[in-house]
Amino acid sequence: MIYTNPVLKGFYPDPSVCRANGKYYMVCSSFQYFPGVPLFESEDLVNWKQIGHVLTRKSQVMLEKINSSGGVFAPTIRYNNGRFYMVTTNDTTHENFYVYTDDIYGEWSEPITVKQGGIDPSLYFEDGRTYFMSNGSDDNGVGGVVQCEINIETGEKLSASKCIWQGSGGRYLESPHLYKISGYYYLMAAEGGTEYGHMITYTRSKSVWGPFENYPKNPVLTNRNKAPFIIQGIGHGDLVEDYNGNWHIACLGFRQIHMWMPYHNLGREVFLIPVQFDGDGWFTAGKDGTCAESYELESDFVQSPKKNYTFENTDWNIDWCYLRHPKLENYELSESKAVLHGTDITLDDTDSPTFIGIRQRDFNFDLSVDLSIDCGEAGVTVYMCEDEHYEVALRKTDSGFEAVLKLNIGGIKHIQTAVPVDSGSVKLRIVADNLFYNFYVGDTHLGCGQTKYLTSEVSGGFTGVVIGLYAVGGNTAEFENLAIDYREE
Ligand code: 6LW
């Protein structure tokens, strides 16, 4: 069966995959969004269904007033002895911690902290021992991939933290994962930074502590020299063997908005690339060490991404997310309606405005929603971070109501258009393509905003655009009849 990359579209960075009970499970980073760490299930590594989040309780993750792209960094998911583990970094508190569950559809434990620094932690289990690795500095101040043995019950370190690898020479050595395959320990990581120079490299050893011998042709996977090409930034991945005995790397990458425009607004997405082991135990990825748009997978399935999102066909607890820890009393969410109560906190603040969002999955979409307000302001935002976001909104004025288009770029707050409307009930629309978001109230075109300003290249950071419903100003806003339809072209 031929499949097309990305296999999971939209802002789902830093994928990590494990297998258990005939299925595959994947987690991704979530930064300032709550619940944290989206969790997916798949039967074929191509169709991923979100089944929940790992960090669903405030007690599991500190997100108070954190900056965009702070909070929850790259997670790793592993399955050992009937138990799932998810280990990650809260980059704002500089803490590495893991949680566990015996029921993948249920709640996860309270966090257990490991006193080893760095980011991108991973776990490796063997013979009753647990090894914990991250990229940071060891007990002697040596930087690289750092490893210690831990007590998996308590998180307590059972050995010193020791630097076991310093990479193949690229900057930002990240996302280490250790695997044992046919007698060798393979340590795979990312280098080059999560931008256009990103790559995956690896090394191997006969011992879990090294010394390691680098793959002579590193990087094993990168699109850094592949241009003009839409898929860029390939790196940070996990190695997984499927149930037919074939190997793959699930990794992040991004799609430029245009062949000749190096900007990406959809965030980092998930790509699947075949891996081949050759006779001497080294492996290669892709056909030529790069990530292509499609590959063949030895399995019978149909790739069927969801194209239409409505209130009725999404789940508030699974598909939607809040900015930081929400004040839940401001949300009345039912099967066909969202009633939001605005506060004084705005989308420009690094706090938790009344906002509920769903990731933008593709460049081209038509969105419409019916909105009624009593006072204040409410609407739909395409939100990259507090400094870069566009809104089509309805607000109360002294004499009635007006529809507005607000463009916020680089901290500059601009009202592009404001037109009076007859009542406090309107239909808001957004028509998006790879270059522009066009905004409407009813059939009236309010103007547009360029996609290129809602990108990591402009905003910095690690997130992608989230489409949010929001309210501000002590009001009640009712949203009904939401439809987000993704188009092919
Ligand atoms: C993540 C690091 C990276 O922790 O970006 O792609 C950081 N690589 O490995 C945030 O996603």
Side-chain angles (χ1 to χ4, degrees):
M1 197 72 214
I2 306 251
Y3 69 89
T4 304
N5 273 317
V7 292
L8 181 61
K9 293 177 168 185
F11 153 53
Y12 292 108
D14 305 320
S16 169
V17 177
C18 74
R19 15 180 275 196
N21 310 321
K23 299 206 170 142
Y24 307 96
Y25 295 93
M26 178 164 73
V27 288
C28 298
S29 312
S30 51
F31 304 99
Q32 74 270 35
Y33 290 94
F34 183 82
V37 185
L39 171 67
F40 298 84
E41 184 180 71
S42 176
E43 294 186 355
D44 49 36
L45 289 171
V46 170
N47 293 292
W48 290 97
K49 179 175 179 257
Q50 194 169 346
I51 56 171
H53 294 86
V54 174
L55 303 175
T56 53
R57 302 185 303 278
K58 211 172 167 177
S59 59
Q60 290 170 310
V61 58
M62 203 302 283
L63 294 176
E64 299 309 328
K65 299 199 174 168
I66 63 165
N67 291 327
S68 290
S69 293
V72 178
F73 269 35
T76 299
I77 188 167
R78 291 292 180 259
Y79 181 66
N80 186 55
N81 269 341
R83 181 164 281 188
F84 291 89
Y85 297 86
M86 187 287 298
V87 58
T88 187
T89 307
N90 186 330
D91 193 58
T92 303
T93 59
H94 303 296
E95 260 175 337
N96 284 323
F97 65 94
Y98 60 91
V99 292
Y100 63 86
T101 186
D102 296 339
D103 173 10
I104 195 73
Y105 306 107
E107 288 283 309
W108 293 63
S109 71
E110 285 299 295
I112 298 172
T113 305
V114 178
K115 289 203 166 38
Q116 176 173 295
I119 59 167
D120 299 355
S122 188
L123 295 171
Y124 172 68
F125 297 93
E126 187 179 350
D127 295 339
R129 291 172 183 263
T130 309
Y131 300 89
F132 175 96
M133 69 223 65
S134 55
N135 52 297
S137 295
D138 74 7
D139 290 349
N140 299 316
V142 181
V145 174
V146 173
Q147 181 170 274
C148 65
E149 190 186 336
I150 62 167
N151 176 344
I152 194 64
E153 299 295 323
T154 61
E156 181 199 352
K157 274 173 62 169
L158 300 178
S159 77
S161 296
K162 184 183 165 214
C163 177
I164 56 169
W165 194 43
Q166 292 190 305
S168 72
R171 62 181 184 165
Y172 299 125
L173 175 62
E174 295 167 334
S175 84
H177 292 303
L178 192 67
Y179 318 87
K180 190 170 190 186
I181 305 163
S182 306
Y184 275 112
Y185 294 91
Y186 292 85
L187 179 58
M188 192 172 91
E191 297 181 50
T194 190
E195 295 91 19
Y196 292 82
H198 215 193
M199 52 186 168
I200 293 186
T201 58
Y202 73 97
T203 192
R204 72 180 187 191
S205 176
K206 287 282 182 189
S207 152
V208 72
W209 290 104
F212 286 90
E213 177 195 8
N214 286 3
Y215 173 52
K217 294 182 190 154
N218 274 326
V220 64
L221 181 66
T222 183
N223 277 16
R224 68 184 181 183
N225 297 320
K226 204 164 169 170
F229 195 63
I230 291 284
I231 299 170
Q232 295 293 332
I234 290 292
H236 194 127
D238 211 349
L239 193 59
V240 59
E241 184 183 18
D242 70 23
Y243 289 104
N244 294 320
N246 298 315
W247 289 85
H248 310 265
I249 290 175
C251 68
L252 69 74
F254 53 81
R255 289 178 288 161
Q256 295 187 179
I257 57 175
H258 184 274
M259 197 77 96
W260 302 107
M261 293 180 71
Y263 295 89
H264 70 286
N265 61 329
L266 300 178
R268 294 168 298 160
E269 312 181 288
V270 181
F271 294 74
L272 188 72
I273 296 106
V275 163
Q276 300 85 29
F277 276 85
D278 58 28
D280 52 15
W282 296 112
F283 64 85
T284 58
K287 290 192 179 65
D288 55 0
T290 72
C291 170
E293 208 182 334
S294 61
Y295 290 104
E296 183 147 15
L297 213 162
E298 179 201 331
S299 192
D300 234 4
F301 62 89
V302 176
Q303 187 175 14
S304 51
K306 183 165 166 163
K307 293 280 181 200
N308 308 292
Y309 293 77
T310 64
F311 287 149
E312 291 75 12
N313 75 10
T314 55
D315 184 325
W316 292 112
N317 293 320
I318 292 179
D319 301 284
W320 296 80
C321 56
Y322 305 93
L323 276 167
R324 308 175 186 89
H325 286 302
K327 295 167 185 67
L328 286 174
E329 64 273 19
N330 293 326
Y331 301 81
E332 294 170 61
L333 307 172
S334 59
E335 205 190 318
S336 59
K337 199 192 240 190
V339 180
L340 304 188
H341 301 285
T343 65
D344 291 343
I345 303 168
T346 74
L347 298 173
D348 304 329
D349 296 322
T350 48
D351 202 334
S352 188
T354 303
F355 164 105
I356 185 150
I358 190 162
R359 283 147 169 95
Q360 182 182 342
R361 300 296 192 117
D362 231 322
F363 297 116
N364 304 307
F365 70 82
D366 288 15
L367 174 151
S368 64
V369 68
D370 294 328
L371 169 65
S372 302
I373 63 164
D374 52 357
C375 61
E377 172 185 315
V380 184
T381 178
V382 277
Y383 182 91
M384 181 64 183
C385 64
E386 56 272 11
D387 285 340
E388 278 84 28
H389 51 96
Y390 303 151
E391 285 83 54
V392 58
L394 177 63
R395 65 186 189 188
K396 182 90 174 71
T397 63
D398 291 343
S399 53
F401 292 91
E402 65 181 5
V404 287
L405 168 57
K406 300 169 84 175
L407 303 177
N408 304 274
I409 302 169
I412 300 166
K413 316 284 168 207
H414 178 65
I415 308 264
Q416 177 80 351
T417 319
V419 295
V421 291
D422 293 340
S423 76
S425 296
V426 292
K427 183 180 285 296
L428 300 178
R429 286 173 56 215
I430 304 176
V431 179
D433 61 31
N434 56 325
L435 300 181
F436 295 100
Y437 295 102
N438 277 282
F439 300 95
Y440 299 83
V441 57
D443 291 327
T444 307
H445 185 221
L446 298 175
C448 64
Q450 293 187 42
T451 56
K452 82 170 186 186
Y453 296 117
L454 304 189
T455 60
S456 305
E457 288 75 12
V458 170
S459 296
F462 302 121
T463 59
V465 169
V466 174
I467 300 168
L469 313 176
Y470 77 98
V472 64
N475 55 354
T476 297
E478 290 193 15
F479 295 83
E480 281 179 290
N481 301 317
L482 174 80
I484 308 173
D485 297 325
Y486 287 96
R487 308 182 308 271
E488 285 304 321
E489 287 292 313

